[in-house]
Amino acid sequence: MASRPTRLSITDKSLHVRCETFKVGYASYHEALDGAERAMEQDRVNPGCHLMPYYCERCGEWHTRNQKIVF
């Protein structure tokens, strides 16, 4: 169902995708860290992981990824 209350909202900022990985790109490490914190607050993280920013050599922007912290 498309109108479920748990559906993620799309903002103009989240539409900024230039990378071939189709991940959201951030201009700086701090913006990516803020995005990772927002995603973790919304429980959009894999179990046993923490979202961490990383620099993408393909597009020159920052993305976030799941970093395993519990093995």
Side-chain angles (χ1 to χ4, degrees):
M1 177 180 261
S3 61
R4 291 184 3 210
T6 57
R7 184 175 177 190
L8 299 175
S9 62
I10 297 175
T11 63
D12 291 337
K13 193 171 197 175
S14 65
L15 294 176
H16 177 68
V17 177
R18 291 189 326 179
C19 188
E20 63 189 42
T21 62
F22 297 105
K23 291 187 173 186
V24 175
Y26 299 94
S28 69
Y29 172 84
H30 295 291
E31 286 183 17
L33 189 60
D34 289 342
E37 289 176 357
R38 279 192 305 274
M40 286 188 291
E41 287 172 355
Q42 298 170 354
D43 292 327
R44 296 185 317 176
V45 61
N46 293 342
C49 292
H50 191 79
L51 287 178
M52 297 295 295
Y54 71 95
Y55 183 75
C56 180
E57 296 290 334
R58 295 178 180 178
C59 69
E61 292 189 328
W62 291 85
H63 303 299
T64 59
R65 69 172 160 223
N66 283 290
Q67 180 71 39
K68 192 109 173 143
I69 58 172
V70 177
F71 296 94

